[in-house]
Amino acid sequence: MTRAWTTEELQRIGGSTEVQVSSERPDGTVRPYVTIWLVRVGDELYVRSAYGTDNPWYRRAKASGAGRIRAGRFERGVTFAEAGSQVHPAIDAAYHTKYDRYGPQIVGTVVGDRAAAGTLRLVPRD
């Protein structure tokens, strides 16, 4: 059974400007956290790899399929899942809404077709 994000989790994590993610190693320990941007679309949370799919944190998350997310004092285990192609325009819009204040050069690293390839949906797990 897939667990869903609670309203409180969506508000707390989705409302954070920056979050930290970590992937699991094969032995179950977690790698060092990496600070990234995250957006909420509906009741789902998404992260994108700035500068493409060769980013080391993204490759490790994709390979392990599991890890943790931290937003302030809140921390939760997650599964890194594929994002359906139909949601990418909404993810782009969410990144623009939340982060355009940082300027087009930096926001440009997480929007568009190239960035879409590096998208992961975060699924909560216990």
Side-chain angles (χ1 to χ4, degrees), residues 13-91:
I13 300 168
S16 296
T17 301
E18 295 179 329
V19 298
Q20 296 179 311
V21 295
S22 175
S23 58
E24 287 184 1
R25 294 182 179 102
D27 68 1
T29 61
V30 293
R31 296 182 185 282
Y33 281 89
V34 175
T35 302
I36 62 171
W37 286 350
L38 168 142
V39 293
R40 175 182 175 182
V41 175
D43 290 338
E44 301 288 348
L45 299 174
Y46 298 91
V47 294
R48 282 188 168 163
S49 177
Y51 308 107
T53 57
D54 287 335
N55 203 319
W57 79 263
Y58 175 83
R59 287 194 328 257
R60 291 188 298 265
K62 185 95 165 142
S64 75
R68 299 197 64 77
I69 184 169
R70 193 164 53 191
R73 293 183 179 165
F74 178 82
E75 190 171 331
R76 166 81 60 219
V78 295
T79 298
F80 299 110
E82 294 291 326
S85 60
Q86 74 284 358
V87 76
H88 289 298
I91 294 171

